[in-house]
């Protein structure tokens, strides 16, 4: 009994240790809400918007429209909604206005999330949506999207893009060798377009930032990000 | 309650754990959210900082940095001719006024005297206001701070639509200055002082680098005056070391009320020694009887006015020496019973210098654009006495107050509070409750200027036509949780227009601004060129205003002037009580560097900004001569009683060497009672304005606010000041000469001065041994 | 594209203070408070002598009445090349970067306060308390600047957030930085242009020109701290008649 108790304590302690170590060096174990993938007020699927694969239901069966045709993602460019990513600090969460521009007419009338969206955007008392933040940096870090996108899209720098989707990169390469902004997002955000519910996949710890900055001859002065 | 293990796991689990843990670490829950707003105007985009141009309520052109819909920083508008990109210490205070935690949240009504204020709706409030204005047809008074341009036009229109009057209140009014400018130059507007191009500046009584008229404008010019190829020479006459006196090369410690005598004495030396061309002398002396000026020979006046013979002679020679020279004055020099004499004597010096209308001298301002009111000053004290007696007699039915704290700003002798209590309906537009609003029946929350439309004609103008545009640059602040408007305030003028209804020709301030700009467009001149009126309006809004550098005043300088000595009189200082223990001083109140006349007192930044001379913050102090204080046994922080025939205040003494021994100087702006002025101003310091004796300037009837005499005596105990001085310790005590301020003589290099200082230091050390 | 300027700095930022132009008006002090989220200096904080002022205006008296002068000098972090505050920091929270700035990294600071003791200019300020703002006043806080918490040392940063934004936006829009494009809050405010900010590596910048002025001196020269903030001496046109130097 005692041994069993001791074993239990060891197991719990061990688990806590593992949790702390993983959290320290990367993403914490996905338990107790630390799964880095909060449930959003509206179940917004990036698969349907950014992806271009056939859509599946939760049980794995193909998702069909009213006429029984297979639905596929529409493959929007990331910057279609995250408009300020190439010009300023934040990528920008699209206003509800942008959503309902299409969803006023597009999408099933009986879909629960779309009904909710239309109520929020077109209802009698339209209001904002409070999304749960997925990628959050501490207050003492000043991250700006714009120079990162500027660097990654430049000709000759495309090798740096991580979590690559080679086909997309090939398709997004311009005449001068530069690439479109949308293919660079995966470097830090992973393969968002295949995620039904967005999760943070990269740890986004300072070590990761500094490694990348060193490798690419970017400034590593502390006041680059901390001021 | 005993939790079962399963319940505990349920509570601890779920996606909220992360949030709970982050919150425990001090991360607010709303930072874990990211909002998708309904629509996205440019000023709400995260990370983009938009700068919007507008005009602040002191007449400066400002640009406001707006991020995510909130105002973050105010800076000078680089395009605006008044302040060319620079701003004052008080510019950023508007941000704290906008987000002040004690802003009045909504309209409030007091049913009868002594009752508490109860919140009412805006509908009810506007109906009441309209009712009261209609009821008071023929005996309505609208009282505001001095406003100009479109704001003054609209307020005037509303007042006259009800056969009422628009009155301006300013505790330190400029009526005497206007009168002097009128007398000497026959001008209605305050002229432009071309300090930047002047070589010699002689100023009297006004703290023009700190608080007087347009200090930012004058400071930008002062920078050019000091810099450039040729450093100018500056003299300043004032009884107290203001920052202007500190900036001067020569400080003339004139006794209060004798500025005019000093100016004439300087003139007498110039005339006698023929230091300027004959034409200038004959213009100056045209109406002065032969030999009269000799009565102001330095030897005869030096003792009386407190400036030595050598200093007067030296000032005269400097002023008449390298030009262009300019002389101007105001402030405490005008706030005497002989104020108009003092200032006419000062401004007449420009005739001697021969620089009127020329570069480096006095330049006249043209009338305001579109016939808008281009000049405003507070009504004189005499007018207020008469007005308040009407109120007290019950002859005025409705009084509308805005930005005019009569109870705080007028001497106790006129009992403004009692007069307000005899008015049936007192409406106070305010953002933070002030002294006068405690006597109001209806409190209406007023917008910050950052939320308003408006149209300003700045005074003093830069020598040509300028129109400043005020536009709303922020949305009303929202409550973090309910997302409702934090303060349900409105534009004071729009509320008046709405209450006046069809009686006034305008529908809104915005419409008035647009119409005026359209009129300006049709004139087809000035700083903005555009193809159509809409683009023109955009251009004006982007630049924060419109101006035409070619629209100058062409009136030449007067060929001769009326005798500057005709009105000569000594100052008539107030009586003092017989039999009161203590030393007699002349009490000189002065505008606080950051609180000004008290209008900024509610913001914590204004309170926390150290006074430049004393470094005191958050309190009221009395400046007193160091040696005199020693003689009286007063040291720093000592509580002293300052007693005049109408009252007494107890303040702390700050002795320093930069003030005449017979003068005590006290800043205005503090002294709000409990629950007045917001949490940062309430129950703090003393209000010196209330103990001023009702001496009046003899010609204009203005309050001679620097003509009160007071008896000063020690009171119990002393207390350390909340002050900045001594906070940073080591460097305060210079280790040797030139630390930290190195002083060089003209032409000397820093290196030479350092060597010289070091030698002195070595000599000092060796003497020590 | 990332420019060379962003990878390896070609800038050496600095400030020149013309003491002769300073009137002591406090506009710089206030502009700095508003820009940099500096905690409110309440009356209590004043009485504790723990006032925050990344830039302050000191006043000195020279002489006696009536031949007396009050003189002002603005003092902020001198961004010394040989900074006494740097070697004493056990955690490298303060160090000298390649752009001539002495920087303070809040998230590294553990609050030993050694640096403040080492600084001969008294320009470092320690957060003895968590800074508090009433909820509504937080609307004003600058999102580009970290709000420092309790136990952190802070000081003038040369408005590094403005430098970063200025350099970044110039690179984004593809134009070269001109002298005057980047100003700190205090230099932008200063009505007499007593404070000038710029790049010493640009030999045509205003600061480079002013640095060659005959009146140039540095504070506490004898300590050989080699500051990047230079001062131009005050001119006494009355020829030493009033006490300042004999």
């Amino acid at each position: 009994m005692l041994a069993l108790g001791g074993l239990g304590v060891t197991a719990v302690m061990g688990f806590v240790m593992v949790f702390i170590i993983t959290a320290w060096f990367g993403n914490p174990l996905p338990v107790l809400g630390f799964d880095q993938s909060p449930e959003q007020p509206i179940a917004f699927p990036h698969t349907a918007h950014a992806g271009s694969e056939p859509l599946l239901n939760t049980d794995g069966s193909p998702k069909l429209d009213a006429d029984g045709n297979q639905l596929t993602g529409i493959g929007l460019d990331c910057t279609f909604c995250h408009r300020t990513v190439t010009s300023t600090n934040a990528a920008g969460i699209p206003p509800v206005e942008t959503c309902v521009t299409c969803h006023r007419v597009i999408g099933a009338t009986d879909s629960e999330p779309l009904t909710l969206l239309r109520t929020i955007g077109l209802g009698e008392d339209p209001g904002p949506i409070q999304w749960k933040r997925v990628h959050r940096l501490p207050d003492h870090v000043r991250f700006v999207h714009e120079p990162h996108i500027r660097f990654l899209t430049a000709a000759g720098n495309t090798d740096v893009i991580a979590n690559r989707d080679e086909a997309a990169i090939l398709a997004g390469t311009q005449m001068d060798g530069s690439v479109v902004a949308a293919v660079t997002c995966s470097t830090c955000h992973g393969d968002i377009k295949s995620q039904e519910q967005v999760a943070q996949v990269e740890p986004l710890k300072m070590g990761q930032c500094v490694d990348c900055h060193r490798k690419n001859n970017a400034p590593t002065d502390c006041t680059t990000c901390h001021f | 309650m005993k939790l079962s293990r399963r319940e505990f796991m349920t509570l601890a689990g779920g996606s909220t754990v992360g949030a709970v843990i982050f919150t425990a670490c001090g991360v607010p829950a709303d930072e874990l959210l990211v909002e998708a707003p309904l629509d996205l105007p440019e000023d709400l985009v995260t990370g983009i900082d938009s700068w919007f141009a507008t005009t602040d309520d002191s007449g400066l052109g400002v640009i406001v940095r707006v991020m995510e819909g909130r105002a973050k920083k105010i800076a000078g508008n680089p395009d605006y001719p008044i302040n060319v990109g620079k701003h004052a210490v008080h510019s950023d205070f508007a941000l704290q006024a906008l987000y002040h935690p004690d802003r009045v949240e909504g309209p409030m009504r007091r049913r009868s005297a002594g009752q508490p204020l109860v919140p009412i709706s805006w509908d009810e409030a506007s109906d009441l206001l309209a009712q009261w204005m209609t009821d008071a047809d023929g005996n309505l008074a609208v009282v505001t701070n001095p406003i100009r341009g479109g704001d003054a036009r609209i307020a005037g229109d509303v007042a006259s639509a009800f056969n009422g009057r628009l009155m301006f209140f300013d505790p330190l009014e400029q009526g005497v200055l206007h009168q002097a400018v009128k007398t000497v130059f026959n001008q209605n507007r305050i002229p432009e002082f071309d300090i930047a191009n002047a070589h010699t500046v002689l100023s009297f009584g006004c703290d023009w680098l700190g608080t007087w008229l347009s200090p930012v404008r004058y400071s930008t010019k002062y920078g050019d005056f000091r810099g450039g190829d040729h450093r100018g020479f500056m003299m300043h006459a004032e009884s107290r070391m203001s920052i202007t006196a500190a900036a001067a090369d020569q400080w003339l410690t004139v006794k209060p009320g004798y500025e005019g005598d000093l100016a004439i004495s300087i003139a007498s030396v110039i005339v006698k020694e023929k230091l300027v061309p004959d034409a200038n002398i004959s213009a100056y002396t045209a109406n002065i009887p032969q030999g009269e000026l000799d009565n102001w020979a330095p030897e005869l006046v030096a003792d009386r006015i407190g400036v030595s013979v050598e200093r007067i002679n030296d000032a005269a020679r400097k002023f008449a020496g390298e030009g262009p020279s300019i002389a101007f004055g105001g402030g405490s020099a005008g706030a005497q019973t002989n104020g108009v004499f003092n200032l006419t004597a000062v401004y007449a010096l420009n005739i001697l210098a021969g620089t009127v209308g020329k570069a480096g001298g006095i330049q006249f301002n043209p009338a305001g654009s579109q016939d808008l009111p281009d000049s405003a000053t507070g009504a004189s004290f005499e007018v207020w006495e008469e007005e308040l007696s009407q109120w007290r007699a019950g002859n005025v039915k409705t009084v509308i107050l805005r930005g005019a704290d009569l109870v705080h700003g007028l001497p106790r002798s006129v009992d403004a509070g009692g007069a307000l209590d005899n008015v049936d309906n007192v409406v106070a537009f305010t953002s933070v409750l002030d002294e006068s609003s405690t006597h109001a029946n209806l409190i209406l929350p007023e917008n910050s200027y950052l939320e308003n439309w408006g149209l300003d004609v700045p005074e003093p103008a830069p020598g040509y036509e300028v129109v400043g545009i005020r536009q709303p640059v922020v949305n009303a602040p929202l409550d973090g949780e309910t997302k409702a408007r934090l303060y349900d305030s409105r534009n004071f003028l729009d509320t008046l227009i709405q209450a006046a209804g069809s009686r006034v020709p305008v529908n809104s301030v915005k419409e008035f601004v647009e119409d005026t700009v359209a009129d300006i467009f049709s004139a087809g001149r000035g700083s903005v060129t555009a193809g159509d009126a809409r683009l023109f309006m955009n251009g004006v809004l982007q630049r924060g205003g419109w101006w035409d550098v070619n629209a100058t005043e062409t009136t030449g300088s007067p060929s001769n002037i009326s005798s500057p000595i005709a009105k000569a009189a000594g100052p008539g200082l107030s009586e003092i009580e017989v039999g009161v223990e203590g030393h007699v001083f002349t009490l000189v109140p002065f505008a606080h560097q950051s609180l000004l006349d008290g209008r900024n007192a509610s913001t914590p930044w204004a309170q926390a900004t150290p006074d430049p001379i004393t470094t005191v913050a958050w309190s009221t102090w009395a400046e007193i001569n160091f040696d005199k204080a020693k003689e009286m046994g007063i040291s720093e922080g000592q509580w002293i009683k300052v007693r005049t025939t109408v009252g007494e205040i107890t303040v702390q003494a700050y002795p320093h060497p930069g003030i005449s021994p017979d003068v005590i100087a006290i800043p205005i702006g503090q002294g709000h009672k409990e629950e007045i002025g917001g949490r940062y101003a309430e129950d703090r310091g003393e209000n010196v304005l209330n103990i001023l004796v009702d001496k009046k300037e003899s010609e204009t009837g203005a309050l001679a606010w620097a003509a009160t005499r007071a008896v000063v005596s020690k009171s119990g105990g002393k207390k350390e000041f909340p002050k900045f001085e001594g906070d940073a310790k080591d460097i305060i005590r210079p280790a040797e000469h030139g630390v930290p301020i190195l002083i060089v003589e003209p032409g000397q290099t820093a290196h030479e001065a350092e060597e010289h200082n070091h030698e002195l230091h070595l000599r000092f050390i060796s003497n020590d041994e | 594209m990332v420019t060379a300027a962003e990878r390896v700095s070609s800038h050496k930022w600095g400030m020149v203070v013309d003491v002769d132009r300073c009137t002591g008006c406090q506009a710089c002090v206030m502009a700095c408070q508003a820009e940099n989220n500096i905690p409110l200096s309440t009356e209590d904080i004043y009485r504790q002598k723990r006032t925050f002022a990344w830039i302050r205006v000191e006043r000195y008296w020279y002489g006696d009445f009536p031949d007396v002068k009050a003189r002002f000098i603005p003092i902020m972090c001198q961004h010394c090349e040989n900074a006494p505050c740097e070697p004493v920091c056990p955690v490298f929270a303060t160090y000298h970067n390649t752009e001539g700035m002495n920087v303070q990294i809040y998230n590294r600071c553990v609050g030993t306060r050694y640096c403040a003791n080492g600084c001969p200019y008294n320009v470092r300020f320690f957060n003895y308390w968590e800074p508090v703002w009433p909820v509504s006043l937080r609307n004003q806080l600058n999102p580009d600047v970290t709000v420092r918490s309790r136990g952190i040392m802070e000081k003038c940063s040369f408005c590094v957030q403005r430098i970063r934004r200025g350099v970044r936006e110039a690179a984004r829009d593809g134009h070269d930085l001109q002298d005057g494009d980047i100003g700190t809050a205090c230099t932008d405010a200063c009505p007499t242009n007593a404070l000038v900010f710029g790049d010493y590596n640009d030999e045509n910048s205003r600061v480079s020109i002013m640095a060659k002025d005959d009146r140039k001196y540095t504070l506490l020269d004898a300590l050989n701290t080699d500051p990047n903030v230079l001062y131009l001496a005050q001119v006494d046109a009355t020829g030493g008649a009033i006490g300042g130097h004999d």
Side-chain angles (χ1 to χ4, degrees), chain B residues 564-599:
Chain B
I565 60 170
K567 294 170 182 166
L573 299 176
S574 76
E575 299 302 315
I576 46 157
E577 279 175 277
V578 189
V580 180
E581 286 274 312
H583 290 66
V584 179
F585 286 86
T586 307
L587 171 59
V588 178
F590 61 95
H592 190 285
Q593 178 73 13
S594 56
L595 306 178
L596 299 178
D597 57 8
R599 71 184 84 146

Side-chain angles (χ1 to χ4, degrees), chain B residues 194-210:
Chain B
D194 192 6
I195 298 159
N197 294 314
H199 182 266
T200 307
V201 170
L202 174 57
S203 52
F204 295 78
C206 53
D207 184 10
W208 52 274
L209 289 170

Side-chain angles (χ1 to χ4, degrees), chain B residues 47 49 65 67 70-73 85-87 89 92-93 95-96 99-101 209 219-220 222-223 226-227 231 241 243 246 248-251 253 311 487 593 605 608-610 612-613 617-618 625 654 656-661 680 684 719-720 722-725 727-732 737 739-746 749-750 754 756 760, chain C residues 19-21 23-27 30-31 33-35 40-43 46-47 49-51 53 56 58-63 65-73 75 120-122 134 136-144 162 165 185 187-193 214-221 233-239 242 244-246:
Chain B
D49 55 345
R65 183 183 192 219
M67 293 183 85
R70 296 173 191 131
K72 298 295 180 188
K73 181 85 182 69
K86 298 304 182 178
H87 65 95
V89 56
D92 281 310
F93 300 163
L95 300 170
Q96 290 197 326
Y99 298 121
H100 199 287
L209 289 170
S219 295
T220 57
Y222 172 81
R226 282 296 186 220
R231 187 178 186 273
M241 177 75 78
I243 65 168
D249 296 292
Q250 185 71 68
W251 177 40
T253 55
R311 281 281 149 82
Y487 318 104
Q593 178 73 13
W605 278 339
T609 307
I613 295 285
W618 292 100
N625 182 276
Y654 187 100
H656 68 65
I659 185 166
S660 294
Y680 302 105
R684 184 175 291 291
K719 192 179 175 190
E720 204 184 340
K723 62 165 189 169
F724 192 72
E725 187 178 42
D727 202 340
K729 290 177 195 70
D730 299 358
I731 204 165
I732 292 285
H737 285 272
V739 177
I741 304 180
L742 184 69
I743 298 161
V744 297
E745 289 170 33
T749 68
E754 276 174 336
H756 175 71
L760 284 178
Chain C
V19 185
D20 200 31
R21 288 178 181 230
T23 65
C25 75
Q26 308 280 341
M30 193 55 249
Q33 301 255 330
E35 171 76 15
L40 296 175
S41 291
T42 60
E43 187 180 348
Y46 263 99
R47 291 196 186 282
K49 296 278 174 214
R50 288 171 181 168
T51 323
R56 62 172 182 265
E58 294 189 358
R59 183 267 298 122
Y60 294 88
W61 291 109
Y62 287 76
F65 184 85
D67 293 326
V68 61
K69 271 202 77 70
R71 298 187 196 274
F72 300 100
I73 182 168
I75 292 180
Y121 301 102
N122 272 301
S136 62
L137 283 185
R138 285 186 214 150
N139 280 307
Q140 183 275 327
L141 294 179
N142 185 354
D144 286 352
R162 291 184 173 214
R165 189 181 273 270
T187 56
D188 279 3
C190 181
T192 60
N193 286 321
D214 277 348
R215 291 187 289 128
K216 185 210 89 173
Y217 74 106
T218 52
L219 285 195
L220 303 183
D221 191 34
Q234 179 143 47
V235 179
D236 188 345
T238 48
I242 44 171
H245 50 115
D246 13 51

Side-chain angles (χ1 to χ4, degrees), chain C residues 187-236:
Chain C
T187 56
D188 279 3
C190 181
T192 60
N193 286 321
L195 299 165
V196 178
F197 180 79
D199 183 358
Y200 288 128
N201 281 356
D202 170 4
E203 58 184 29
N204 296 317
S205 68
R206 287 166 304 161
V207 287
S208 295
I209 293 163
M210 289 170 85
K212 297 188 194 103
D213 197 295
D214 277 348
R215 291 187 289 128
K216 185 210 89 173
Y217 74 106
T218 52
L219 285 195
L220 303 183
D221 191 34
L223 298 178
N224 195 27
T225 52
D226 193 8
N228 278 316
V229 177
L230 306 178
Y231 286 80
L232 302 188
Q234 179 143 47
V235 179
D236 188 345

